[in-house]
Amino acid sequence: MAYLEFAECGGAGAATATYEVPRPAARFSALEWWVIAAAQRDRLSSLDAPGPVARLLGALFPSNDNDSDRDADPRIEALRRMAVLAWHKSYVIPKWEIESFRRAGFTLDHYELLQASIAAAKAKQRSARAARPRHAARRAWIPLEPTYGLS
């Protein structure tokens, strides 16, 4: 019976286990979690740049409530864009949006954490809606029984 000596042919290194250095867990700060939660109410149109009419009206009638805060922190804006897309389109997100999210300083672990937390929140909302009676608002009347003297 024959066997092969791996040390002779340089295979001893392949037999040893290689360990990956564990990556730190992805986390979001409290502000970032707030941005993710607030993005649920944003529309997809909030991701588009304002059109020419909106820019003209903004120039003619400046207000304190302008959209200049989009340029305040590019990292937070990238997170907001990704969160809005995740709330509305789930996992169907364009590749260039994921790349701009990564260029802002986030990792793919952050992306997975974002998607998982939004998916869990959506599932919780769906189960709460399913547990609610369909016509709960219409059932404001008291069901009449024969004990009320209507027999």
Side-chain angles (χ1 to χ4, degrees), residues 12-38:
T16 61
T18 58
Y19 295 102
E20 242 183 65
V21 176
R23 295 183 299 202
R27 294 184 179 181
F28 290 119
S29 68
L31 171 67
E32 291 169 340
W33 279 118
W34 183 85
V35 168
I36 293 167

Short mmCIF file of all heavy atoms in Angstrom, two decimals, residues 12-38:
data_model
loop_
_atom_site.label_atom_id
_atom_site.label_comp_id
_atom_site.label_asym_id
_atom_site.label_seq_id
_atom_site.Cartn_x
_atom_site.Cartn_y
_atom_site.Cartn_z
N ALA A 12 3.07 20.63 2.49
CA ALA A 12 2.87 20.74 3.94
C ALA A 12 2.21 22.06 4.29
O ALA A 12 1.42 22.14 5.21
CB ALA A 12 4.20 20.60 4.66
N GLY A 13 2.51 23.10 3.53
CA GLY A 13 1.89 24.40 3.80
C GLY A 13 0.40 24.39 3.49
O GLY A 13 -0.37 25.09 4.11
N ALA A 14 0.00 23.57 2.53
CA ALA A 14 -1.41 23.51 2.18
C ALA A 14 -2.21 22.78 3.24
O ALA A 14 -3.40 23.00 3.40
CB ALA A 14 -1.59 22.82 0.84
N ALA A 15 -1.55 21.91 3.98
CA ALA A 15 -2.26 21.16 5.00
C ALA A 15 -2.47 21.96 6.27
O ALA A 15 -3.34 21.64 7.06
CB ALA A 15 -1.50 19.88 5.32
N THR A 16 -1.68 23.01 6.48
CA THR A 16 -1.86 23.81 7.68
C THR A 16 -3.04 24.76 7.51
O THR A 16 -3.33 25.22 6.40
CB THR A 16 -0.59 24.63 7.98
OG1 THR A 16 -0.36 25.53 6.89
CG2 THR A 16 0.61 23.74 8.21
N ALA A 17 -3.71 25.04 8.59
CA ALA A 17 -4.89 25.90 8.54
C ALA A 17 -4.46 27.37 8.52
O ALA A 17 -3.56 27.76 9.24
CB ALA A 17 -5.77 25.63 9.74
N THR A 18 -5.11 28.12 7.69
CA THR A 18 -4.87 29.56 7.66
C THR A 18 -6.09 30.23 8.27
O THR A 18 -7.23 29.89 7.97
CB THR A 18 -4.66 30.06 6.22
OG1 THR A 18 -5.81 29.74 5.45
CG2 THR A 18 -3.42 29.45 5.61
N TYR A 19 -5.83 31.20 9.11
CA TYR A 19 -6.92 31.89 9.79
C TYR A 19 -7.00 33.31 9.29
O TYR A 19 -6.01 33.99 9.13
CB TYR A 19 -6.69 31.88 11.31
CG TYR A 19 -6.74 30.50 11.90
CD1 TYR A 19 -5.56 29.83 12.24
CD2 TYR A 19 -7.94 29.87 12.10
CE1 TYR A 19 -5.60 28.57 12.78
CE2 TYR A 19 -7.99 28.59 12.63
CZ TYR A 19 -6.82 27.95 12.97
OH TYR A 19 -6.87 26.71 13.49
N GLU A 20 -8.25 33.74 9.07
CA GLU A 20 -8.49 35.11 8.69
C GLU A 20 -8.59 35.96 9.93
O GLU A 20 -9.12 35.53 10.94
CB GLU A 20 -9.82 35.21 7.93
CG GLU A 20 -9.67 35.68 6.53
CD GLU A 20 -11.03 35.81 5.89
OE1 GLU A 20 -11.82 36.66 6.34
OE2 GLU A 20 -11.28 35.08 4.95
N VAL A 21 -8.08 37.15 9.85
CA VAL A 21 -8.22 38.07 10.97
C VAL A 21 -9.69 38.50 11.01
O VAL A 21 -10.23 38.96 10.00
CB VAL A 21 -7.30 39.29 10.79
CG1 VAL A 21 -7.51 40.30 11.90
CG2 VAL A 21 -5.86 38.85 10.70
N PRO A 22 -10.35 38.33 12.14
CA PRO A 22 -11.77 38.71 12.19
C PRO A 22 -11.94 40.21 12.03
O PRO A 22 -11.20 41.00 12.60
CB PRO A 22 -12.23 38.24 13.58
CG PRO A 22 -10.99 38.09 14.36
CD PRO A 22 -9.88 37.79 13.40
N ARG A 23 -12.91 40.55 11.20
CA ARG A 23 -13.19 41.97 10.97
C ARG A 23 -14.04 42.50 12.11
O ARG A 23 -14.86 41.77 12.67
CB ARG A 23 -13.95 42.15 9.65
CG ARG A 23 -13.15 41.77 8.45
CD ARG A 23 -13.93 42.03 7.22
NE ARG A 23 -15.17 41.23 7.23
CZ ARG A 23 -15.86 40.92 6.16
NH1 ARG A 23 -15.47 41.33 5.00
NH2 ARG A 23 -16.95 40.20 6.24
N PRO A 24 -13.87 43.76 12.45
CA PRO A 24 -14.73 44.32 13.49
C PRO A 24 -16.17 44.39 12.97
O PRO A 24 -16.41 44.59 11.77
CB PRO A 24 -14.16 45.72 13.73
CG PRO A 24 -13.36 46.03 12.52
CD PRO A 24 -12.89 44.72 11.96
N ALA A 25 -17.11 44.21 13.86
CA ALA A 25 -18.52 44.23 13.47
C ALA A 25 -18.90 45.63 13.00
O ALA A 25 -18.49 46.63 13.57
CB ALA A 25 -19.38 43.81 14.65
N ALA A 26 -19.69 45.66 11.94
CA ALA A 26 -20.16 46.94 11.42
C ALA A 26 -21.20 47.51 12.37
O ALA A 26 -22.08 46.80 12.84
CB ALA A 26 -20.76 46.74 10.03
N ARG A 27 -21.07 48.78 12.66
CA ARG A 27 -22.00 49.45 13.55
C ARG A 27 -22.34 50.82 12.98
O ARG A 27 -21.54 51.42 12.27
CB ARG A 27 -21.39 49.63 14.94
CG ARG A 27 -21.17 48.34 15.65
CD ARG A 27 -20.67 48.58 17.02
NE ARG A 27 -20.49 47.30 17.70
CZ ARG A 27 -20.08 47.17 18.92
NH1 ARG A 27 -19.79 48.23 19.62
NH2 ARG A 27 -19.95 45.99 19.46
N PHE A 28 -23.51 51.29 13.34
CA PHE A 28 -23.92 52.64 13.00
C PHE A 28 -24.03 53.44 14.29
O PHE A 28 -24.39 52.91 15.34
CB PHE A 28 -25.28 52.64 12.29
CG PHE A 28 -25.24 52.08 10.89
CD1 PHE A 28 -25.98 50.97 10.57
CD2 PHE A 28 -24.47 52.67 9.91
CE1 PHE A 28 -25.96 50.45 9.29
CE2 PHE A 28 -24.44 52.15 8.63
CZ PHE A 28 -25.18 51.04 8.32
N SER A 29 -23.75 54.72 14.18
CA SER A 29 -23.92 55.60 15.34
C SER A 29 -25.40 55.91 15.53
O SER A 29 -26.24 55.56 14.69
CB SER A 29 -23.13 56.90 15.13
OG SER A 29 -23.72 57.65 14.09
N ALA A 30 -25.73 56.60 16.61
CA ALA A 30 -27.13 56.95 16.87
C ALA A 30 -27.67 57.88 15.79
O ALA A 30 -28.81 57.73 15.35
CB ALA A 30 -27.25 57.61 18.25
N LEU A 31 -26.84 58.81 15.33
CA LEU A 31 -27.27 59.71 14.25
C LEU A 31 -27.53 58.93 12.97
O LEU A 31 -28.52 59.18 12.28
CB LEU A 31 -26.19 60.78 14.00
CG LEU A 31 -26.40 61.66 12.77
CD1 LEU A 31 -27.63 62.54 12.95
CD2 LEU A 31 -25.17 62.50 12.51
N GLU A 32 -26.67 57.97 12.67
CA GLU A 32 -26.84 57.18 11.45
C GLU A 32 -28.11 56.32 11.53
O GLU A 32 -28.83 56.18 10.54
CB GLU A 32 -25.60 56.33 11.21
CG GLU A 32 -24.39 57.16 10.83
CD GLU A 32 -23.09 56.40 10.85
OE1 GLU A 32 -23.01 55.34 11.51
OE2 GLU A 32 -22.13 56.88 10.22
N TRP A 33 -28.40 55.75 12.71
CA TRP A 33 -29.65 54.99 12.86
C TRP A 33 -30.86 55.90 12.69
O TRP A 33 -31.88 55.52 12.14
CB TRP A 33 -29.71 54.29 14.23
CG TRP A 33 -28.93 53.02 14.27
CD1 TRP A 33 -27.87 52.75 15.07
CD2 TRP A 33 -29.15 51.83 13.49
NE1 TRP A 33 -27.41 51.48 14.83
CE2 TRP A 33 -28.18 50.89 13.87
CE3 TRP A 33 -30.06 51.48 12.50
CZ2 TRP A 33 -28.10 49.63 13.31
CZ3 TRP A 33 -29.98 50.23 11.94
CH2 TRP A 33 -29.01 49.32 12.34
N TRP A 34 -30.74 57.14 13.18
CA TRP A 34 -31.84 58.09 13.01
C TRP A 34 -32.06 58.40 11.53
O TRP A 34 -33.19 58.48 11.08
CB TRP A 34 -31.53 59.37 13.79
CG TRP A 34 -32.66 60.35 13.72
CD1 TRP A 34 -33.76 60.40 14.51
CD2 TRP A 34 -32.80 61.41 12.77
NE1 TRP A 34 -34.58 61.42 14.11
CE2 TRP A 34 -34.02 62.06 13.05
CE3 TRP A 34 -32.02 61.86 11.71
CZ2 TRP A 34 -34.47 63.15 12.31
CZ3 TRP A 34 -32.47 62.94 10.98
CH2 TRP A 34 -33.68 63.57 11.28
N VAL A 35 -30.97 58.57 10.79
CA VAL A 35 -31.07 58.84 9.35
C VAL A 35 -31.74 57.66 8.64
O VAL A 35 -32.60 57.85 7.77
CB VAL A 35 -29.67 59.14 8.76
CG1 VAL A 35 -29.69 59.13 7.25
CG2 VAL A 35 -29.16 60.46 9.27
N ILE A 36 -31.39 56.44 9.03
CA ILE A 36 -31.99 55.25 8.41
C ILE A 36 -33.48 55.20 8.71
O ILE A 36 -34.30 54.92 7.82
CB ILE A 36 -31.28 53.98 8.91
CG1 ILE A 36 -29.84 53.94 8.39
CG2 ILE A 36 -32.03 52.73 8.49
CD1 ILE A 36 -28.98 52.90 9.06
N ALA A 37 -33.87 55.49 9.94
CA ALA A 37 -35.29 55.47 10.29
C ALA A 37 -36.06 56.59 9.60
O ALA A 37 -37.18 56.39 9.13
CB ALA A 37 -35.45 55.57 11.81
N ALA A 38 -35.46 57.78 9.52
CA ALA A 38 -36.12 58.91 8.88
C ALA A 38 -36.25 58.71 7.38
O ALA A 38 -37.17 59.26 6.75
CB ALA A 38 -35.36 60.20 9.17
#
